[in-house]
């Protein structure tokens, strides 16, 4: 997939990921001008951990909502999903 971010913005982010052993640079074997960024095992573990933490955060927040608010939120999210499907 394609990200809408400039090279000037992306480069420091990639460097931080590489410095943290979350990603590595790989030169394309057929075209040395192409450099691919690959996630490392450390990066995969951090990604999964972060995903689990985000899910738990939302679970905790949603459990505090009254049922009426949860129902309204569900309706809004359903409608948002329908709208997004219609434009993609």
């Amino acid at each position: 997939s394609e990200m809408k971010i400039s090279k000037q913005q992306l480069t420091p982010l990639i460097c931080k990921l590489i410095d943290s052993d979350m990603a590595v640079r790989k030169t394309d074997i057929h075209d040395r001008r192409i450099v691919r960024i690959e996630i490392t095992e450390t990066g995969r573990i951090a990604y999964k951990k972060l995903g689990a933490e985000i899910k738990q955060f939302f679970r905790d927040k949603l459990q505090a909502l009254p049922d009426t608010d949860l129902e309204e939120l569900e309706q809004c999210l359903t409608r948002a999903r329908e709208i997004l499907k219609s434009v993609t």
Side-chain angles (χ1 to χ4, degrees), residues 34-62:
I34 298 173
V35 178
R36 302 186 191 283
I37 307 302
E38 292 183 9
I39 191 168
T40 63
E41 187 60 28
T42 301
R44 274 190 193 82
I45 291 167
Y47 176 79
K48 288 178 183 177
K49 182 180 178 201
L50 181 60
E53 289 173 2
I54 291 170
K55 285 179 186 177
Q56 188 59 51
F57 171 82
F58 278 104
R59 275 191 205 105
D60 294 345
K61 294 294 181 187
L62 292 172

Side-chain angles (χ1 to χ4, degrees), residues 6-51:
S6 73
K7 185 176 179 180
Q8 292 81 10
Q9 293 172 314
L10 189 58
T11 299
L13 297 174
I14 296 298
C15 287
K16 286 181 184 179
L17 289 172
I18 290 169
D19 290 344
S20 300
D21 193 34
M22 303 278 184
V24 292
R25 284 187 179 93
K26 298 262 180 140
T27 305
D28 187 280
I29 60 172
H30 302 292
D31 187 343
R32 294 183 340 166
R33 297 170 297 174
I34 298 173
V35 178
R36 302 186 191 283
I37 307 302
E38 292 183 9
I39 191 168
T40 63
E41 187 60 28
T42 301
R44 274 190 193 82
I45 291 167
Y47 176 79
K48 288 178 183 177
K49 182 180 178 201
L50 181 60

